[in-house]
Amino acid sequence: MYYSLYNLTINSDFPLKNLPCFKESHPANIVIKHLNKLDVDVALLSQASAYCWLNSSNFLLSIPQLADFYVRDGQSIEVALAEDVDIALVITYIQGYMLAVVMQQRGQLVLHGTVLHKNGCAIAVCGHSGSGKSTLAATLLTQGWQLVSDDVCVFDTHGQVLQGSHGLNIWPDVAEVLQLSEAEPLTATMAKLQYLPQVPSMGNEGANARLGAFPLAAIYCLSEEQDDDQSGALDEGVFAGVLSEFKGMRKFAPLKANRYRTQFTTAMGQDVLFMQQCSAFLANTPVYGLSRGKAKLSLVNLHAMSQLITDSFEALV
């Protein structure tokens, strides 16, 4: 089956989820193959972690009792499955982690962030795993924003962010607080749910939306750090966050910290390319830090946090 993602055509042996699909196409940009066993010479790769080996154009990730994934030259993903595996979880890895590596191998800028747009202009909510990207994104989706991509922010060669898959992965307690009753289990073995917001007609969103690329208005980097004078609010579990802009050269540190799988892209030798792309695409894009503290999960706190983003976005556009 053929699919469309990040303005590329993908031919996949696995049924990908929540993507435009079609039966026939011109030659695909990316091929995803299901193999019984991978044929990889690990001696040609450097070990980057306990289960990962790579070089500038090859990436091998071996997840015990799940699958081996081999990404090659930004053009193919080969997958060998373990026995009695959760196929939905394998597909989740392919559509997120592996396709992000493909885009990095193709020399494109990739940030660890969830992207949303309003009126054809996008923002990226960045942060490490568990920082609350998807929670904040789900809140914004209930307030008129539209999803561009969950967890992976991919730039095209013109510095615009590309349309990813149409599903947002959230925790059950977030779905409960935001009353997202239509959210369904992501896989049989993961606690997360997948929320599929309705995609409205793009008639009023302009040419960028129809092409699946959006200009990026701002980047918001999440953290749990809190100023000392906010410690009382933190203890009470009340959101009292502050939105602060990183000025000048200071913006490059949070951008580097929120590069997708930064330890692997460094091992791939992409540090210089990353800085060049940030300078070319994001030199004039505001980058903010949003300290959320240890505020408890509540509708009031989520709305307060999202309001900071909405107010700053409206001031920009």
Side-chain angles (χ1 to χ4, degrees), residues 69-85:
F69 303 89
Y70 184 43
V71 185
R72 191 198 307 259
D73 298 322
Q75 296 180 341
S76 68
I77 302 172
E78 299 171 356
V79 185
L81 303 177
E83 294 184 4
D84 301 321
V85 70

Side-chain angles (χ1 to χ4, degrees), residues 210-258:
R210 287 192 291 272
L211 293 173
F214 301 83
L216 190 66
I219 296 174
Y220 300 87
C221 302
L222 301 183
S223 74
E224 293 184 354
E225 296 178 359
Q226 199 94 358
D227 295 336
D228 291 340
D229 59 1
Q230 295 173 345
S231 58
L234 185 153
D235 292 340
E236 295 169 8
V238 176
F239 176 71
V242 174
L243 193 66
S244 56
E245 184 176 358
F246 296 99
K247 296 285 190 177
M249 295 297 294
R250 291 184 62 244
K251 71 166 58 175
F252 288 103
L255 289 175
K256 184 176 180 180
N258 287 289

Side-chain angles (χ1 to χ4, degrees), residues 29-215:
N29 305 106
I30 302 165
V31 177
I32 303 175
K33 301 177 182 178
H34 177 198
L35 303 178
N36 292 327
K37 184 178 180 181
L38 299 186
D39 182 16
V40 182
D41 187 354
V42 178
L44 299 177
L45 308 177
S46 299
Q47 187 163 8
S49 72
Y51 303 112
C52 180
W53 297 259
L54 55 79
N55 59 26
S56 60
S57 57
N58 298 273
F59 181 95
L60 172 64
L61 182 68
S62 180
I63 303 178
Q65 300 180 337
L66 183 69
D68 294 331
F69 303 89
Y70 184 43
V71 185
R72 191 198 307 259
D73 298 322
Q75 296 180 341
S76 68
I77 302 172
E78 299 171 356
V79 185
L81 303 177
E83 294 184 4
D84 301 321
V85 70
D86 182 351
I87 292 294
L89 182 56
V90 172
I91 292 171
T92 297
Y93 267 95
I94 291 173
Q95 286 191 227
Y97 202 151
M98 297 305 118
L99 282 170
V101 172
V102 167
M103 301 310 287
Q104 289 171 326
Q105 287 183 348
R106 296 175 73 91
Q108 294 185 233
L109 176 61
V110 183
L111 297 179
H112 196 179
T114 295
V115 185
L116 305 100
H117 79 89
K118 180 180 283 189
N119 299 326
C121 234
I123 61 170
V125 180
C126 294
H128 59 75
S129 297
S131 63
K133 298 185 300 296
S134 297
T135 299
L136 182 52
T139 306
L140 291 166
L141 288 175
T142 66
Q143 299 170 352
W145 291 77
Q146 302 299 324
L147 183 65
V148 176
S149 183
D150 180 29
D151 201 51
V152 181
C153 173
V154 178
F155 291 76
D156 67 11
T157 55
H158 303 290
Q160 298 197 81
V161 289
L162 294 171
Q163 179 73 57
S165 57
H166 298 291
L168 182 72
N169 300 335
I170 57 175
W171 293 106
D173 54 352
V174 175
E176 181 178 358
V177 168
L178 294 174
Q179 298 182 353
L180 303 178
S181 57
E182 59 270 53
E184 298 181 348
L186 179 61
T187 77
T189 56
M190 289 184 68
K192 275 194 169 183
L193 306 177
Q194 184 165 81
Y195 172 54
L196 298 175
Q198 290 186 347
V199 180
S201 169
M202 292 184 178
N204 297 323
E205 296 296 335
N208 286 324
R210 287 192 291 272
L211 293 173
F214 301 83

